[in-house]
Amino acid sequence: MNQITTYRTLKSPIQVEFKDKGSRFLAFAYPVQTAEQVKKHVDDLRQEHHKARHWCYAYRLGVDGNQFRANDDGEPSGSAGRPILGQIDSFELTDVLVVVVRYFGGTLLGVPGLIHAYKTSTQMALENAQIIEKNIEKTVRIRCEYPYLNEAIRIAKNHQAEIIEQDLQLDCRLTVRIPLANAEACLAAWAQTRQIELLELG
């Protein structure tokens, strides 16, 4: 089986509007990486659109997509959060939050109508969003003596790895983020020098 080395997410936030029988559905899609970011976006929208009736949302996080949630926020069970999540999944996205803010227009839509409205508004947002492919990355910590620091950095750069932290004291300790597709080759190149020691694999 081929290892998955990239994932799809949004480049930047986007907002669209969908109307049905007087109700307005404002769909906001965001790139997110943590549940804390999700909470902040939802809280901000509740404040900004405090006259709305519902703030329904769904998100999926992580490259394995195992962290997700669908919230109906008072709409009939399964009529809002699940259709939103369904669209995130059909676009094969992760690290994405979609919040749909509903202003009630006076006419009840019924469960099928709600499912259609939440699904359509989410679909419109994701169709208009800029979707990007990002590398899944592996974070490692390495150690070497000062004379080998340049060699360690050169090997990292050759494998499109990014040095995110340097701790230069008695010896040199680097925290490096490597695209998963290049990780094996990069680690092998470091090991080959016999002077660069792997401390930790994330």
Side-chain angles (χ1 to χ4, degrees):
M1 247 176 73
N2 285 343
Q3 191 179 26
I4 296 168
T5 57
T6 60
Y7 64 97
R8 285 156 53 88
T9 189
L10 301 187
K11 185 174 185 185
S12 52
I14 188 162
Q15 173 189 348
V16 301
E17 182 174 337
F18 173 73
K19 289 180 178 167
D20 194 2
K21 294 180 182 163
S23 277
R24 289 170 64 215
F25 295 85
L26 306 178
F28 299 84
Y30 302 94
V32 288
Q33 288 178 311
T34 65
E36 289 72 31
Q37 288 176 331
V38 168
K39 185 179 184 309
K40 185 176 183 331
H41 285 309
V42 174
D43 289 348
D44 287 351
L45 288 173
R46 282 182 190 276
Q47 284 183 341
E48 192 185 331
H49 295 276
H50 56 91
K51 290 186 176 166
R53 181 72 69 89
H54 301 281
W55 300 264
C56 305
Y57 65 90
Y59 65 81
R60 193 174 284 284
L61 298 176
V63 291
D64 53 12
N66 285 344
Q67 207 182 333
F68 64 93
R69 184 159 179 223
N71 187 317
D72 295 316
D73 191 48
E75 293 282 35
S77 178
S79 68
R82 217 171 293 155
I84 297 171
L85 186 62
Q87 285 303 301
I88 293 172
D89 290 346
S90 81
F91 279 81
E92 298 178 342
L93 301 173
T94 191
D95 285 358
V96 168
L97 161 70
V98 178
V99 185
V100 180
V101 177
R102 181 188 182 192
Y103 285 89
F104 184 54
T107 306
L108 292 171
L109 300 179
V111 170
L114 289 172
I115 290 171
H116 172 74
Y118 283 104
K119 178 185 170 184
T120 304
S121 51
T122 304
Q123 183 181 351
M124 284 167 60
L126 297 178
E127 278 174 352
N128 286 284
Q130 195 175 347
I131 292 171
I132 54 171
E133 202 163 280
K134 292 179 90 167
N135 285 318
I136 297 173
E137 294 173 321
K138 204 183 220 6
T139 303
V140 301
R141 287 183 70 235
I142 58 169
R143 188 192 74 79
C144 65
E145 302 299 327
Y146 272 90
Y148 301 97
L149 177 61
N150 286 341
E151 177 70 353
I153 292 171
R154 186 188 66 76
I155 291 170
K157 286 188 173 155
N158 282 351
H159 296 88
Q160 286 89 50
E162 180 191 358
I163 291 153
I164 52 176
E165 212 173 84
Q166 293 191 37
D167 182 12
L168 310 178
Q169 290 178 22
L170 293 172
D171 54 15
C172 309
R173 291 165 189 256
L174 305 178
T175 306
V176 187
R177 210 180 271 145
I178 318 168
L180 192 57
N182 304 342
E184 222 168 282
C186 187
L187 294 174
W190 279 329
Q192 223 166 359
T193 67
R194 298 183 184 279
Q195 305 296 335
I196 299 165
E197 180 193 346
L198 182 66
L199 294 178
E200 196 183 316
L201 203 54

